[in-house]
Amino acid sequence: MKRMDVKLYTVGQLSNLTKVSIRTLHYYEKLGLLNPIRDENNQYRLYGDRDILRLQQIAILKKMKFKLSEIAVILDQNETLVDESSHHAVSAWTQSLEGQLSIVRKQQEDLRKVEQLLFSTLYSIRVTGQVNLEEMLHFIKELDQPKDRSRGALLREVFSPEELEVMPINKTGPVEMEWADILREIHNHIHEAPDSNASQKLAKRITEYALLLFNGDEQLAEKYWEYIVPEDGQSPRVYGMTSEVMRYIEKILERWG
C-alpha cells in the first residue's frame, strides 16, 4: 500500500539520483538494510523518506569502512531511538544526523591517536636510526589504551589555549619531524665540548628551529622548555629529551648566546 503525502521513488529513479546501482539496492534489501514498499498495482519497489534516510546512513558508514553487518546494527539502534522519541520527519533526520556526527567524531579521535602513534614511531626511528622492538610493543599496547586525560588537563593548567595552538604537542608535520634530525645530531655530538665547532653549529640550528617552531615567541619557547624538563628519576616528558640531552643543549646555547 502506498504511503500518503510522501514522495516515492522507483528503484531506477533512486539509483539514478544517488548513483547507487540497482543491484546494490536490491542487495541492501536482501540484507534487511532497506525495506521498500511494493506498488499495489504492479508490485514495483517504491522508496520513501525512511529508505532515503537509511541509504544516507549506509553511504556515510560505508565511507567510514564499517562492514555491512556493523551498519545493520547501527541502523537498528538509530531507528529504535527515533521510533521511541518522535515520528516527525525533521526530528528523525536531526537525531540520525547527530548520531552519525557522533560516530564520525569518535572515529576521527581514534584516527588522530593512530596518527600520533605512527608519527611517534617514525620519529623514534629517525632519531636512533634503528627499529626498537620494545617501542613497537608499546605501540601495539597503546592502540587499545584509553586516551590519557591527565596529561591534557596538566597542559591546560600550564598553557593557555592560544599557546597550545602554537606548541608542538600532538602535531605530526614536517616541522615537528625536523627535531628528530636535530636530536640525532645531538646524540652524535653530546660528548663534545660545548664550544666545539660541531656543538656551536648545533646551537645555531636549535636557535633557528625554536624561532620557527614557536613563531618567534621566545617567552613561550622558554616556558615550554621548563615544562618538559624531567625531574630527577622521572622519564622524559618528550621523546629523547633526557636530562643529559637537555643539559648539553643548555650548555651549547649558553656559549652560542
Side-chain angles (χ1 to χ4, degrees):
M1 188 172 179
K2 289 187 179 181
R3 304 170 193 175
M4 301 303 293
D5 301 322
V6 174
K7 184 172 178 59
L8 299 173
Y9 300 87
T10 66
V11 67
Q13 291 172 328
L14 187 61
S15 175
N16 184 56
L17 290 169
T18 62
K19 303 306 178 187
V20 177
S21 71
I22 293 175
R23 183 178 179 181
T24 297
L25 291 172
H26 286 173
Y27 184 56
Y28 289 166
E29 181 183 356
K30 182 180 179 181
L31 294 178
L33 299 177
L34 296 178
N35 186 28
I37 63 172
R38 297 281 179 164
D39 188 297
E40 58 188 17
N41 297 317
N42 53 30
Q43 293 301 301
Y44 286 173
R45 294 173 174 84
L46 294 174
Y47 298 83
D49 52 353
R50 175 180 176 275
D51 305 300
I52 294 171
L53 173 58
R54 288 174 71 89
L55 188 59
Q56 183 268 337
Q57 293 178 81
I58 293 168
I60 289 289
L61 294 168
K62 278 190 66 180
K63 197 72 174 177
M64 295 165 61
K65 307 303 181 186
F66 281 93
K67 298 177 183 177
L68 289 176
S69 58
E70 296 169 327
I71 291 173
V73 173
I74 295 171
L75 290 180
D76 288 343
Q77 289 174 342
N78 286 353
E79 189 141 306
T80 298
L81 290 173
V82 169
D83 287 343
E84 287 178 353
S85 59
S86 172
H87 293 285
H88 192 274
V90 172
S91 177
W93 274 93
T94 299
Q95 290 184 56
S96 174
L97 293 171
E98 287 175 346
Q100 291 173 69
L101 268 178
S102 178
I103 294 171
V104 169
R105 286 167 178 160
K106 175 62 170 61
Q107 192 168 80
Q108 285 177 332
E109 183 177 332
D110 291 342
L111 287 174
R112 276 195 294 271
K113 181 175 181 179
V114 173
E115 179 188 13
Q116 289 163 9
L117 286 170
L118 288 170
F119 180 84
S120 299
T121 306
L122 284 170
Y123 185 93
S124 68
I125 293 172
R126 188 106 157 226
V127 171
T128 63
Q130 60 186 3
V131 176
N132 187 317
L133 292 182
E134 288 186 3
E135 288 175 356
M136 295 300 112
L137 293 172
H138 176 72
F139 175 96
I140 295 168
K141 177 184 175 183
E142 284 296 308
L143 278 175
D144 290 326
Q145 296 301 308
K147 191 173 181 180
D148 185 358
R149 303 291 179 185
S150 60
R151 182 171 181 265
L154 178 59
L155 284 167
R156 288 190 293 273
E157 288 177 6
V158 178
F159 301 97
S160 69
E162 293 75 20
E163 289 173 333
L164 289 172
E165 280 292 318
V166 175
M167 288 165 49
I169 295 173
N170 296 333
K171 294 181 180 178
T172 56
V175 174
E176 288 72 30
M177 184 62 83
E178 185 182 345
W179 182 251
D181 296 330
I182 296 173
L183 199 53
R184 188 169 182 176
E185 283 296 300
I186 290 171
H187 289 162
N188 291 337
H189 300 287
I190 197 167
H191 297 298
E192 293 190 21
D195 56 357
S196 71
N197 186 49
S199 291
Q200 286 305 290
K201 281 185 177 179
L202 263 173
K204 180 176 184 293
R205 187 176 180 186
I206 291 169
T207 301
E208 292 173 347
Y209 178 80
L211 288 172
L212 172 65
L213 191 65
F214 294 95
N215 293 334
D217 190 335
E218 295 183 8
Q219 186 175 353
L220 178 57
E222 183 65 28
K223 185 177 179 180
Y224 178 71
W225 179 267
E226 292 175 359
Y227 169 77
I228 67 173
V229 173
E231 296 178 7
D232 292 338
Q234 188 183 53
S235 299
R237 281 186 167 174
V238 174
Y239 182 87
M241 297 297 285
T242 62
S243 297
E244 182 184 21
V245 166
M246 297 189 77
R247 281 195 297 269
Y248 172 72
I249 293 173
E250 287 174 345
K251 288 178 181 177
I252 66 175
L253 289 179
E254 285 174 3
R255 296 299 177 94
W256 171 256

